[in-house]
Amino acid sequence: MGYSEIAVILFVYSGLMTFFLIPFQRRAHSKSYQQNQISFISIFKSSLVKMIFHQKALLALTLLGFMLISIWLGYAGVEDHYNAHSGYSSISTNFKAIYTICGVFVYTVVLLLLLGYVRTLKIVKSTNK
């Protein structure tokens, strides 16, 4: 798989995860923050909790599970095909699959933290006005 194909897949995956992790707008600012009790860390934590525990987040979890299973089955299929048709000694792609799965999982966690950070900045900015 080429770099451009991986970039397109990551772009689509990032867009879907962003859509699934951001709560609906009417519920996004249901909690009002007092001007004197604003702590960036507390707003960040509550923002992450709101992003993780809402209805659309189940779709994000389903997408993540689908991606991880697809990666594992894709590498298993390549391994089975190579071992059945090559005539060379058997290979194992388990480490590549595990590295790719860990990479997708870390990418998802970084994306979640980045979305929480941006959401927290918006909340802090709106309360300082």
Side-chain angles (χ1 to χ4, degrees), residues 47-58:
S47 179
L48 283 178
V49 167
K50 286 180 185 178
M51 286 175 52
I52 293 172
F53 296 112
H54 70 281
Q55 294 172 348
K56 289 193 310 182
L58 263 96

Side-chain angles (χ1 to χ4, degrees), residues 6-113:
I6 293 172
V8 169
I9 289 172
L10 283 177
F11 181 71
V12 170
Y13 179 74
S14 299
L16 285 172
M17 288 300 280
T18 301
F19 175 74
F20 291 145
L21 287 175
I22 295 176
F24 292 115
Q25 190 64 25
R26 60 190 155 131
R27 296 180 191 163
H29 299 292
S30 61
K31 183 179 179 182
S32 62
Y33 297 96
Q34 300 294 332
Q35 185 94 11
N36 56 0
Q37 296 178 351
I38 293 178
S39 167
F40 188 83
I41 300 295
S42 65
I43 294 174
F44 182 68
K45 286 179 185 178
S46 78
S47 179
L48 283 178
V49 167
K50 286 180 185 178
M51 286 175 52
I52 293 172
F53 296 112
H54 70 281
Q55 294 172 348
K56 289 193 310 182
L58 263 96
L59 295 172
L61 184 63
T62 304
L63 178 65
L64 177 63
F66 176 74
M67 285 291 292
L68 299 181
I69 290 171
S70 297
I71 290 168
W72 184 260
L73 293 177
Y75 275 105
V78 167
E79 177 183 336
D80 290 342
H81 180 76
Y82 182 84
N83 290 338
H85 299 292
S86 70
Y88 297 116
S89 61
S90 297
I91 63 165
S92 175
T93 58
N94 288 342
F95 288 120
K96 285 184 181 179
I98 290 171
Y99 289 146
T100 307
I101 286 172
C102 289
V104 168
F105 188 75
V106 167
Y107 180 77
T108 304
V109 169
V110 168
L111 185 65
L112 174 69
L113 292 175

